[in-house]
Amino acid sequence: MIMETTNEQPTQSKYDAALAKYNTRLTDAEVAAQVAGIIEGKVAENDRPEVKQFLFHCIDLTTLSTTDNDQSVMSLTQAVNRLDEEHPDLKNVASICVYPVFAETVRDTLEVDDVHITCVSGGFPSSQTFPEVKVAETAMAIMEGADEIDIVMSVGKFLAGDYEALCDEIQELKETCRQRTLKVILETGALGPMANVKKASILAMYAGADFIKTSTGKQQPAATPEAAYVMCQAIREYYEQTGTRIGFKPAGGLSTVHDALVYYTIVKEVLGEEWLNNSLFRLGTSRLANLLLSDILGQEVKWF
């Protein structure tokens, strides 16, 4: 009996096909060298008062503590209101970021029109819960007042190569958000090599992310300049492929003004001036807000 042979190749999934359009063959050493060059050659020229004011305006002022309560969240929101009253010439923070249970508190307290309400959702920070719970939590956060949602990508699914389940989940949460902004946290410190950071960035954008974000801040390492550089490269390439601009948000471990200047410089050098607005660039932090404000006002303040 003669067996027929076939030259048919396994069908490529649409996710692999999407990834194939991008350069994901990165080495960590090359990325580190490129980032070191940018930091050494470009950061100093951006150390200017107007840049620091812009960076303050890009902050998602964040409180995600076990000890948060209605009173503490109300106090933080009132500080944002007071800043608007006492320093009307200074552009305020971009948003206040809280757990969903506090969205209503922020909504009822906030008096500044151009400050958004951001909620972490979808089983933050691990993303290890049922998809139905993620959808319900996101819908409830929006109902309570959130106009921006930060979720964590299912890192375990990514590492297992289950791109379909990963992308389906992000897509469903984007559908739940509708016109509201969805930021997808990659948790870059858990992804391993920079090649994985590039792949995760592409998949998150492909699935509907409006922003990609480095980290939750709950796991170390959190944000790094290297991960930021690779994510910005992915955003640039995605824009060239699709014409769609995706935002970028470093978060976790941003503790000095110099840190903020480094991320600003990476965005400026990789993505360009078009991304230097708080619709496409955010900083997730709490500690940095007082440091930037102190620098801007010329005296040490603990406003928040």
mmCIF file of all heavy atoms in Angstrom, residues 10 14 40-42 71 100 103 109 115 153-154 182-183 189 192 196-197 234 241 248 253 255 275 280 285 287-289:
data_model
loop_
_atom_site.group_PDB
_atom_site.id
_atom_site.type_symbol
_atom_site.label_atom_id
_atom_site.label_comp_id
_atom_site.label_asym_id
_atom_site.label_seq_id
_atom_site.Cartn_x
_atom_site.Cartn_y
_atom_site.Cartn_z
ATOM 1 N N PRO A 10 1.032 23.378 8.962
ATOM 2 C CA PRO A 10 0.005 23.742 9.948
ATOM 3 C C PRO A 10 -0.499 25.161 9.701
ATOM 4 O O PRO A 10 0.276 26.050 9.351
ATOM 5 C CB PRO A 10 0.755 23.643 11.283
ATOM 6 C CG PRO A 10 1.917 22.748 11.020
ATOM 7 C CD PRO A 10 2.298 22.987 9.596
ATOM 8 N N LYS A 14 -4.328 33.556 13.554
ATOM 9 C CA LYS A 14 -4.364 34.989 13.246
ATOM 10 C C LYS A 14 -3.471 35.788 14.200
ATOM 11 O O LYS A 14 -2.989 36.863 13.852
ATOM 12 C CB LYS A 14 -5.793 35.513 13.291
ATOM 13 C CG LYS A 14 -6.493 35.397 14.632
ATOM 14 C CD LYS A 14 -7.920 35.927 14.523
ATOM 15 C CE LYS A 14 -8.659 35.837 15.848
ATOM 16 N NZ LYS A 14 -10.051 36.354 15.740
ATOM 17 N N GLU A 40 21.778 58.727 28.302
ATOM 18 C CA GLU A 40 23.022 59.490 28.396
ATOM 19 C C GLU A 40 23.004 60.728 27.499
ATOM 20 O O GLU A 40 23.491 61.794 27.886
ATOM 21 C CB GLU A 40 24.209 58.604 28.011
ATOM 22 C CG GLU A 40 25.565 59.294 28.145
ATOM 23 C CD GLU A 40 26.730 58.373 27.807
ATOM 24 O OE1 GLU A 40 26.501 57.155 27.683
ATOM 25 O OE2 GLU A 40 27.847 58.879 27.667
ATOM 26 N N GLY A 41 22.411 60.602 26.326
ATOM 27 C CA GLY A 41 22.513 61.682 25.355
ATOM 28 C C GLY A 41 21.365 62.659 25.314
ATOM 29 O O GLY A 41 21.520 63.766 24.779
ATOM 30 N N LYS A 42 20.180 62.286 25.876
ATOM 31 C CA LYS A 42 18.998 63.104 25.641
ATOM 32 C C LYS A 42 18.262 63.591 26.885
ATOM 33 O O LYS A 42 17.538 64.592 26.806
ATOM 34 C CB LYS A 42 18.004 62.312 24.769
ATOM 35 C CG LYS A 42 18.526 61.936 23.382
ATOM 36 C CD LYS A 42 18.691 63.164 22.503
ATOM 37 C CE LYS A 42 19.101 62.784 21.086
ATOM 38 N NZ LYS A 42 19.196 63.978 20.204
ATOM 39 N N GLN A 71 -12.906 57.981 53.378
ATOM 40 C CA GLN A 71 -12.365 59.239 53.870
ATOM 41 C C GLN A 71 -11.009 59.546 53.239
ATOM 42 O O GLN A 71 -10.750 60.685 52.831
ATOM 43 C CB GLN A 71 -12.233 59.211 55.402
ATOM 44 C CG GLN A 71 -11.794 60.544 56.000
ATOM 45 C CD GLN A 71 -12.713 61.688 55.623
ATOM 46 O OE1 GLN A 71 -13.940 61.592 55.797
ATOM 47 N NE2 GLN A 71 -12.163 62.767 55.087
ATOM 48 N N PRO A 100 -12.342 50.033 42.177
ATOM 49 C CA PRO A 100 -13.712 50.323 41.735
ATOM 50 C C PRO A 100 -14.671 50.726 42.852
ATOM 51 O O PRO A 100 -15.571 51.540 42.620
ATOM 52 C CB PRO A 100 -14.145 49.007 41.080
ATOM 53 C CG PRO A 100 -12.878 48.387 40.604
ATOM 54 C CD PRO A 100 -11.853 48.742 41.642
ATOM 55 N N ALA A 103 -14.946 54.508 43.165
ATOM 56 C CA ALA A 103 -15.255 55.365 42.012
ATOM 57 C C ALA A 103 -16.335 56.378 42.350
ATOM 58 O O ALA A 103 -16.237 57.565 41.992
ATOM 59 C CB ALA A 103 -15.673 54.507 40.825
ATOM 60 N N THR A 109 -16.977 63.721 44.809
ATOM 61 C CA THR A 109 -16.109 64.718 45.454
ATOM 62 C C THR A 109 -15.386 65.595 44.439
ATOM 63 O O THR A 109 -15.112 66.774 44.701
ATOM 64 C CB THR A 109 -15.065 64.007 46.343
ATOM 65 O OG1 THR A 109 -15.724 63.092 47.227
ATOM 66 C CG2 THR A 109 -14.261 65.012 47.165
ATOM 67 N N VAL A 115 -10.140 66.354 34.991
ATOM 68 C CA VAL A 115 -9.483 65.244 35.684
ATOM 69 C C VAL A 115 -10.383 64.014 35.579
ATOM 70 O O VAL A 115 -11.552 64.050 35.955
ATOM 71 C CB VAL A 115 -9.197 65.582 37.159
ATOM 72 C CG1 VAL A 115 -8.635 64.359 37.887
ATOM 73 C CG2 VAL A 115 -8.218 66.748 37.260
ATOM 74 N N MET A 153 -3.286 42.251 31.866
ATOM 75 C CA MET A 153 -3.285 41.154 30.906
ATOM 76 C C MET A 153 -3.121 39.821 31.636
ATOM 77 O O MET A 153 -2.428 39.749 32.653
ATOM 78 C CB MET A 153 -2.109 41.364 29.942
ATOM 79 C CG MET A 153 -1.934 40.307 28.895
ATOM 80 S SD MET A 153 -0.378 40.548 27.978
ATOM 81 C CE MET A 153 0.797 39.881 29.181
ATOM 82 N N SER A 154 -3.729 38.780 31.124
ATOM 83 C CA SER A 154 -3.570 37.457 31.728
ATOM 84 C C SER A 154 -2.182 36.919 31.389
ATOM 85 O O SER A 154 -1.967 36.260 30.358
ATOM 86 C CB SER A 154 -4.653 36.498 31.220
ATOM 87 O OG SER A 154 -5.908 36.871 31.721
ATOM 88 N N LEU A 182 -9.446 52.073 27.735
ATOM 89 C CA LEU A 182 -8.984 50.822 28.342
ATOM 90 C C LEU A 182 -7.467 50.780 28.300
ATOM 91 O O LEU A 182 -6.861 50.809 27.223
ATOM 92 C CB LEU A 182 -9.545 49.610 27.599
ATOM 93 C CG LEU A 182 -9.054 48.247 28.108
ATOM 94 C CD1 LEU A 182 -9.580 47.983 29.525
ATOM 95 C CD2 LEU A 182 -9.457 47.120 27.165
ATOM 96 N N LYS A 183 -6.844 50.713 29.476
ATOM 97 C CA LYS A 183 -5.399 50.570 29.575
ATOM 98 C C LYS A 183 -5.099 49.124 29.983
ATOM 99 O O LYS A 183 -5.656 48.623 30.963
ATOM 100 C CB LYS A 183 -4.817 51.535 30.608
ATOM 101 C CG LYS A 183 -5.212 52.991 30.422
ATOM 102 C CD LYS A 183 -4.374 53.891 31.344
ATOM 103 C CE LYS A 183 -5.000 55.255 31.510
ATOM 104 N NZ LYS A 183 -5.920 55.322 32.656
ATOM 105 N N GLY A 189 7.638 42.950 34.236
ATOM 106 C CA GLY A 189 8.630 42.266 35.059
ATOM 107 C C GLY A 189 8.414 40.770 35.146
ATOM 108 O O GLY A 189 9.323 40.027 35.527
ATOM 109 N N GLY A 192 9.691 38.121 31.314
ATOM 110 C CA GLY A 192 10.975 37.565 30.889
ATOM 111 C C GLY A 192 11.665 38.470 29.892
ATOM 112 O O GLY A 192 11.728 39.689 30.082
ATOM 113 N N ASN A 196 9.448 39.065 24.627
ATOM 114 C CA ASN A 196 8.103 38.808 25.139
ATOM 115 C C ASN A 196 7.348 40.110 25.393
ATOM 116 O O ASN A 196 6.128 40.177 25.197
ATOM 117 C CB ASN A 196 8.175 37.997 26.433
ATOM 118 C CG ASN A 196 8.332 36.508 26.182
ATOM 119 O OD1 ASN A 196 8.271 36.057 25.043
ATOM 120 N ND2 ASN A 196 8.548 35.747 27.243
ATOM 121 N N VAL A 197 8.055 41.127 25.860
ATOM 122 C CA VAL A 197 7.417 42.426 26.072
ATOM 123 C C VAL A 197 6.886 42.969 24.744
ATOM 124 O O VAL A 197 5.774 43.504 24.676
ATOM 125 C CB VAL A 197 8.407 43.420 26.712
ATOM 126 C CG1 VAL A 197 7.804 44.819 26.800
ATOM 127 C CG2 VAL A 197 8.832 42.945 28.100
ATOM 128 N N ALA A 234 6.885 49.152 19.849
ATOM 129 C CA ALA A 234 5.706 48.410 19.396
ATOM 130 C C ALA A 234 4.583 49.366 19.019
ATOM 131 O O ALA A 234 3.903 49.172 18.002
ATOM 132 C CB ALA A 234 5.244 47.444 20.485
ATOM 133 N N GLN A 241 1.560 50.383 10.925
ATOM 134 C CA GLN A 241 0.780 49.320 10.284
ATOM 135 C C GLN A 241 -0.695 49.684 10.146
ATOM 136 O O GLN A 241 -1.342 49.315 9.165
ATOM 137 C CB GLN A 241 0.892 48.030 11.107
ATOM 138 C CG GLN A 241 2.253 47.380 11.082
ATOM 139 C CD GLN A 241 2.399 46.348 9.971
ATOM 140 O OE1 GLN A 241 1.473 46.111 9.206
ATOM 141 N NE2 GLN A 241 3.566 45.764 9.866
ATOM 142 N N PHE A 248 0.718 55.252 25.974
ATOM 143 C CA PHE A 248 1.728 54.539 26.767
ATOM 144 C C PHE A 248 1.727 55.073 28.195
ATOM 145 O O PHE A 248 1.690 56.290 28.416
ATOM 146 C CB PHE A 248 3.119 54.725 26.158
ATOM 147 C CG PHE A 248 4.234 54.216 27.037
ATOM 148 C CD1 PHE A 248 4.327 52.868 27.328
ATOM 149 C CD2 PHE A 248 5.157 55.082 27.596
ATOM 150 C CE1 PHE A 248 5.330 52.382 28.170
ATOM 151 C CE2 PHE A 248 6.168 54.621 28.427
ATOM 152 C CZ PHE A 248 6.252 53.271 28.711
ATOM 153 N N GLY A 253 7.268 52.056 40.589
ATOM 154 C CA GLY A 253 8.686 52.366 40.789
ATOM 155 C C GLY A 253 9.109 53.734 40.290
ATOM 156 O O GLY A 253 10.298 54.043 40.309
ATOM 157 N N SER A 255 9.799 56.986 41.193
ATOM 158 C CA SER A 255 9.944 57.609 42.505
ATOM 159 C C SER A 255 10.769 58.885 42.512
ATOM 160 O O SER A 255 10.908 59.512 43.557
ATOM 161 C CB SER A 255 10.560 56.610 43.492
ATOM 162 O OG SER A 255 11.805 56.139 43.014
ATOM 163 N N TRP A 275 2.955 62.184 20.551
ATOM 164 C CA TRP A 275 2.554 61.441 21.756
ATOM 165 C C TRP A 275 2.732 62.259 23.037
ATOM 166 O O TRP A 275 2.392 61.779 24.108
ATOM 167 C CB TRP A 275 3.338 60.134 21.860
ATOM 168 C CG TRP A 275 2.622 58.971 21.249
ATOM 169 C CD1 TRP A 275 1.866 58.032 21.907
ATOM 170 C CD2 TRP A 275 2.573 58.621 19.864
ATOM 171 N NE1 TRP A 275 1.367 57.114 21.020
ATOM 172 C CE2 TRP A 275 1.785 57.435 19.757
ATOM 173 C CE3 TRP A 275 3.121 59.154 18.706
ATOM 174 C CZ2 TRP A 275 1.532 56.817 18.540
ATOM 175 C CZ3 TRP A 275 2.869 58.532 17.488
ATOM 176 C CH2 TRP A 275 2.082 57.385 17.413
ATOM 177 N N LEU A 280 -2.273 60.547 25.323
ATOM 178 C CA LEU A 280 -1.489 59.409 24.841
ATOM 179 C C LEU A 280 -0.325 59.052 25.750
ATOM 180 O O LEU A 280 0.364 58.062 25.500
ATOM 181 C CB LEU A 280 -0.949 59.711 23.436
ATOM 182 C CG LEU A 280 -1.987 59.737 22.310
ATOM 183 C CD1 LEU A 280 -1.375 60.287 21.026
ATOM 184 C CD2 LEU A 280 -2.569 58.348 22.072
ATOM 185 N N THR A 285 1.481 56.898 39.311
ATOM 186 C CA THR A 285 2.322 57.134 40.481
ATOM 187 C C THR A 285 1.541 57.876 41.556
ATOM 188 O O THR A 285 0.525 58.509 41.280
ATOM 189 C CB THR A 285 3.569 57.957 40.090
ATOM 190 O OG1 THR A 285 4.414 58.122 41.232
ATOM 191 C CG2 THR A 285 3.193 59.314 39.543
ATOM 192 N N ARG A 287 3.794 58.813 44.663
ATOM 193 C CA ARG A 287 4.963 59.446 45.268
ATOM 194 C C ARG A 287 5.507 60.588 44.409
ATOM 195 O O ARG A 287 5.923 61.632 44.912
ATOM 196 C CB ARG A 287 6.048 58.382 45.474
ATOM 197 C CG ARG A 287 7.261 58.829 46.261
ATOM 198 C CD ARG A 287 8.295 57.716 46.330
ATOM 199 N NE ARG A 287 7.679 56.385 46.437
ATOM 200 C CZ ARG A 287 8.354 55.253 46.328
ATOM 201 N NH1 ARG A 287 9.646 55.269 46.082
ATOM 202 N NH2 ARG A 287 7.741 54.094 46.446
ATOM 203 N N LEU A 288 5.489 60.392 43.101
ATOM 204 C CA LEU A 288 6.111 61.352 42.201
ATOM 205 C C LEU A 288 5.364 62.680 42.142
ATOM 206 O O LEU A 288 5.959 63.720 41.854
ATOM 207 C CB LEU A 288 6.203 60.743 40.795
ATOM 208 C CG LEU A 288 6.881 61.562 39.705
ATOM 209 C CD1 LEU A 288 8.313 61.895 40.093
ATOM 210 C CD2 LEU A 288 6.854 60.805 38.380
ATOM 211 N N ALA A 289 4.072 62.664 42.428
ATOM 212 C CA ALA A 289 3.274 63.889 42.304
ATOM 213 C C ALA A 289 3.815 64.996 43.204
ATOM 214 O O ALA A 289 3.991 66.141 42.762
ATOM 215 C CB ALA A 289 1.815 63.595 42.635
#
